[in-house]
Amino acid sequence: VNSFISKNDTRQANKYLSEFSRLMRIVMENSQSDFVSLTEEVSTLELYLKLEHFRFQDKFDYNFQVDEALLSEEYAMPPMLIQPFIENAIWHGLRYKEGKGQLVVKLLSQNNGLKMVIKDDGIGRKRSKELKTENQSQQKSTGMKNTQNRIALINDTYNSKIRLTITDLEGEATGTRVEVFLPKSLMLQPC
């Protein structure tokens, strides 16, 4: 918003601010529920990706794929479960990449559950840590830890088995791949 204001582009500033406000309202409403419909979560993630791409359009393009079979059922999931991984891909992997990067987010019906994949071709977690400024290094990053704790809490509370795998891609294909698997039994919770 500051960038648009400094460029005297009030129309774009208002558009972005309006969409950001809508996202914040959705997040606040959904944070009061343990589960939201998969359709609602997909809409929220689409809006989040749209806003981040709008901000960093010169840094990455994205592809958001959702298995249509998932949306035809009345499935539920914990809100904003994979958003921190998408945010990390953009802010720590793609934002510092030379040239334009790619972000792929997939929600797939697989093995009696939902497999979510977040893959970027950014600079990777190791290089990102090396680039942190002194001030950034002093700040404790809690997003990943909080999400891992949240998954453990959900697994314990609902006797579930959400699985999280984070893979650092090396060689010619740098970046990070995150996979989160929700068993179907968890997805049948009421919203």
Side-chain angles (χ1 to χ4, degrees), residues 62-81:
Y62 70 94
N63 184 346
F64 186 38
Q65 303 169 21
V66 181
D67 188 337
E68 289 297 320
L70 290 167
L71 298 178
S72 65
E73 301 290 333
E74 300 220 5
Y75 292 126
M77 68 177 288
M80 300 297 277
L81 188 66

Side-chain angles (χ1 to χ4, degrees), residues 31-97:
S31 70
Q32 298 175 15
S33 302
D34 290 342
F35 291 87
V36 296
S37 77
L38 183 59
T39 304
E40 287 176 304
E41 186 63 8
V42 166
S43 294
T44 304
L45 292 172
E46 284 176 332
L47 180 56
Y48 175 75
L49 279 164
K50 177 183 164 187
L51 286 169
E52 288 291 56
H53 184 254
F54 191 62
R55 275 178 83 189
F56 299 114
Q57 55 193 287
D58 60 328
K59 298 308 295 176
F60 76 97
D61 285 324
Y62 70 94
N63 184 346
F64 186 38
Q65 303 169 21
V66 181
D67 188 337
E68 289 297 320
L70 290 167
L71 298 178
S72 65
E73 301 290 333
E74 300 220 5
Y75 292 126
M77 68 177 288
M80 300 297 277
L81 188 66
I82 64 168
Q83 183 275 337
F85 301 113
I86 297 171
E87 181 177 327
N88 279 353
I90 296 166
W91 279 77
H92 302 294
L94 296 166
R95 188 170 71 155
Y96 297 111
K97 179 181 177 140

Side-chain angles (χ1 to χ4, degrees), residues 144-162:
M144 293 284 274
K145 182 95 171 119
N146 288 346
T147 303
Q148 289 169 330
N149 289 342
R150 184 173 174 219
I151 288 171
L153 181 63
I154 293 167
N155 281 339
D156 188 49
T157 303
Y158 293 94
N159 194 25
S160 186
K161 289 187 171 54
I162 297 175

Side-chain angles (χ1 to χ4, degrees), residues 93-107:
L94 296 166
R95 188 170 71 155
Y96 297 111
K97 179 181 177 140
E98 288 185 29
K100 194 174 249 191
Q102 293 293 320
L103 174 64
V104 176
V105 179
K106 295 180 185 180
L107 279 63

